[in-house]
Amino acid sequence: MTNYDIIVVGAGPIGSTYAYKMAKEGYDVALFDMKNRIGQPLQCAGLVSTNICDTKNLPEHVIINKVKGANLYSPDGTMIRVGKNKTVAYVLDRVMYDKYLFDRAVGAGVTPYLGEKVLDVDVDNTSIKTRDRKYSSRLIVVASGPSCHTSKKMNPGLKEESFVGLQYTVKTEEQDLDYLNLSINQYILPGFLWEIPTSPFTRRVGLFTDGSYSEAEKLLNNQLKNADQIIEKHNGLIPKFNPNKRIVKNNTLLLGDAAGQVKPTTGGGLISGFNCVEIASINSIKMLKENNNKYLLDYEKEYHKRYDDEFKAQKNVQNIIRDMTDDDFNYMFNQLKKYNVDKIISEHGDMDNQIPLLKELVKTGVIFKLVPKIGVRRLKNIWKSL
C-alpha cells in the first residue's frame, strides 16, 4: 500500500487546481484520472465570464476568443441583444486549459496516475482501490465529475439528477466574433441552445436539456445551418445542484461537479468550482495541521453559505420556465423588448451572480409585466429568493 497526505480523484480543472494548491503548501499529493489524455474528450462549452480572472487560474494563451455579449432569441425569432462595450466572457481552448492546469500541478510536485481508474473510495478508511493496487492517505478529495460513485455512497437516500449536454464543433460561414447566440424553445426546457464563435469560421453549437440524448441530438441537428460542417461531437452530463447533498464524510470531501457545485441556469461550474477549491484548500490545511476533520465540515458550511442563495434563486427561475410554451416565451420577449430590458440586463446582468439582475427587474417593475405568463405564485417564489 502506498501512502500520501492527499489523494485527489479526477484530474479535470478543479481536481488539478486543488492538487496544485496543496502541493505548493508542501503536502505529498497523488492525482488519479481514468483517462490517459487530459482534457479529452471535451465535455464543456468552454465559455466563462471575466470573473474567472479573480481566481488567478487563467493564462492568456488558452483564450481563443473574447465576446462582448449575447443575442437572445425567442422561438419566433425575436432578438434581444445584451452586452457591454468591453469583453464580458472568454471562449477557451478547454483541452489546452485542462492540460495547463494538470501540468502546473505536476510541476508543483504532484504525483500523477493517468489511465488508472479508481474503482472504489473507502470513506471509512481513507483509502482508494484501483485494479492493481490500494492507496491510502490522510485526506481524499473526489473531483471526478457528475457520475460519482463516492457521492452516491455518501448520499444513499438522495436522488442524484443530471442534465444531458450535447455539443458540436462546426465549420461555418464567416460570423460575428463579438456575440454568441442563445435560443430557447419549449422542447429543451429548462435548458437552452448556444452558438459560441471560436474563430471567424468555426463555432460550438450545443444545448442542455432534461430530455434524452436522442431527443437532444435531433434538436441540435435542427439548429445547424446548411453551410455547417460537423468537425467533432461531444456529450456529457451536467449535475443538478441539490442543497441537501452531503459533500463531506470523515476525511473525504467532494469538489466541483462531483459536489454539484454548478450554476443551475447555465450548467457552468468552472468559477464556482475554483472558488470552492479555495475554501476547500484553506480548510484542508487546517484539518491536516490539527488532525481534526471538523474543518472539512467547515468547508461544507462555507460553500453553502456562499452559494445556496444564488443557486436556489437560479433554481426558482428554472422551475418557472420549465413548463412554459413557445407562445409564453414569444410574449415575454416582446414585453422585455417593449420595456428596453436589454439595457437593464446589459447593465446588471452577470453570468455568475444573477440575484442583482432579478432584484433590478423587481425594482423597476418590469417583472410584473410578465405576470400573465409566469403567474403570481411563481413570482412570489422569485421574490422569496431575493
Side-chain angles (χ1 to χ4, degrees):
M1 182 183 290
T2 304
N3 298 315
Y4 291 95
D5 291 322
I6 305 165
I7 289 173
V8 180
V9 182
I14 305 306
S16 290
T17 300
Y18 174 88
Y20 163 75
K21 285 182 174 290
M22 297 308 291
K24 289 282 285 184
E25 292 293 327
Y27 294 102
D28 192 6
V29 184
L31 179 59
F32 289 77
D33 200 283
M34 64 184 291
K35 295 178 290 187
N36 287 302
R37 302 174 68 182
I38 294 297
Q40 298 180 357
L42 175 67
Q43 292 182 308
C44 176
L47 181 77
V48 292
S49 78
T50 52
N51 293 331
I52 196 172
C53 296
D54 296 334
T55 71
K56 298 180 174 58
N57 279 314
L58 185 69
E60 185 73 23
H61 73 271
V62 305
I63 301 172
I64 56 177
N65 190 25
K66 299 178 180 181
V67 298
K68 295 180 179 179
N71 300 316
L72 313 178
Y73 289 93
S74 68
D76 67 1
T78 301
M79 190 265 278
I80 297 175
R81 170 169 284 192
V82 297
K84 303 180 187 297
N85 292 321
K86 63 179 182 178
T87 298
V88 298
Y90 302 124
V91 183
L92 309 181
D93 182 328
R94 269 300 304 269
V95 174
M96 185 185 296
Y97 188 34
D98 285 18
K99 287 179 179 178
Y100 161 80
L101 295 172
F102 174 79
D103 290 342
R104 185 180 67 166
V106 174
V110 172
T111 302
Y113 290 87
L114 293 184
E116 191 156 358
K117 183 177 181 180
V118 175
L119 301 176
D120 182 61
V121 175
D122 187 339
V123 298
D124 294 316
N125 296 296
T126 322
S127 63
I128 65 167
K129 182 180 179 182
T130 65
R131 185 181 65 179
D132 301 318
R133 301 183 66 178
K134 187 175 181 180
Y135 304 81
S136 67
S137 64
R138 299 173 62 194
L139 170 64
I140 296 176
V141 174
V142 180
S144 55
S147 300
C148 176
H149 296 296
T150 309
S151 175
K152 294 179 175 64
K153 184 183 292 188
M154 291 167 61
N155 297 273
L158 194 69
K159 185 179 179 181
E160 302 260 13
E161 296 182 304
S162 299
F163 293 110
V164 170
L166 181 61
Q167 179 173 262
Y168 299 158
T169 300
V170 303
K171 286 184 179 179
T172 188
E173 297 175 330
E174 190 169 8
Q175 61 190 330
D176 183 358
L177 293 178
D178 288 335
Y179 289 86
L180 57 98
N181 297 325
L182 301 176
S183 307
I184 196 164
N185 67 57
Q186 65 190 48
Y187 302 105
I188 57 175
L189 297 178
F192 57 87
L193 287 146
W194 62 81
E195 296 178 14
I196 302 172
T198 53
S199 76
F201 295 98
T202 61
R203 70 172 183 269
R204 295 172 187 154
V205 184
L207 61 82
F208 76 94
T209 177
D210 259 340
S212 67
Y213 174 84
S214 59
E215 291 170 338
E217 189 174 38
K218 290 178 183 177
L219 289 165
L220 195 53
N221 288 337
N222 289 335
Q223 186 73 7
L224 298 179
K225 298 176 175 60
N226 292 332
D228 290 343
Q229 177 185 344
I230 299 174
I231 304 171
E232 292 180 309
K233 292 184 178 182
H234 316 285
N235 66 81
L237 297 177
I238 300 171
K240 295 183 181 180
F241 165 72
N242 189 327
N244 299 316
K245 185 171 186 173
R246 187 176 185 182
I247 61 173
V248 171
K249 185 175 182 181
N250 299 331
N251 286 11
T252 298
L253 64 86
L254 306 178
L255 194 58
D257 281 7
Q261 293 163 339
V262 172
K263 294 178 291 184
T265 52
T266 67
L270 271 181
I271 294 177
S272 55
F274 286 143
N275 288 335
C276 289
V277 163
E278 191 67 24
I279 299 170
S281 60
I282 289 171
N283 285 285
S284 295
I285 293 167
K286 293 178 181 178
M287 173 263 174
L288 292 167
K289 284 182 176 179
E290 299 186 26
N291 199 29
N292 188 339
N293 68 358
K294 85 174 186 67
Y295 293 109
L296 301 186
L297 295 174
D298 287 343
Y299 150 69
E300 186 172 61
K301 292 175 185 175
E302 289 178 42
Y303 152 62
H304 284 297
K305 182 178 180 180
R306 177 159 186 168
Y307 281 106
D308 274 12
D309 287 347
E310 175 65 34
F311 286 178
K312 285 177 181 178
Q314 292 188 27
K315 281 195 73 171
N316 281 334
V317 171
Q318 206 168 54
N319 289 335
I320 285 174
I321 69 173
R322 186 181 297 274
D323 299 321
M324 294 180 67
T325 66
D326 283 355
D327 286 343
D328 293 335
F329 284 115
N330 292 334
Y331 170 85
M332 287 180 63
F333 266 68
N334 283 314
Q335 290 294 104
L336 294 174
K337 196 158 189 172
K338 178 179 178 181
Y339 291 98
N340 299 316
V341 175
D342 55 331
K343 296 179 181 179
I344 297 176
I345 299 175
S346 295
E347 183 178 353
H348 299 278
D350 186 302
M351 290 170 60
D352 304 301
N353 305 296
Q354 296 169 19
I355 285 180
L357 173 60
L358 291 173
K359 286 183 175 179
E360 190 65 21
L361 292 175
V362 170
K363 179 181 175 181
T364 59
V366 170
I367 200 166
F368 301 105
K369 308 295 182 182
L370 309 179
V371 167
K373 295 301 178 183
I374 66 176
V376 174
R377 178 179 60 82
R378 288 175 167 176
L379 182 61
K380 287 181 179 178
N381 286 335
I382 292 181
W383 194 288
K384 291 176 183 177
S385 303
L386 305 181

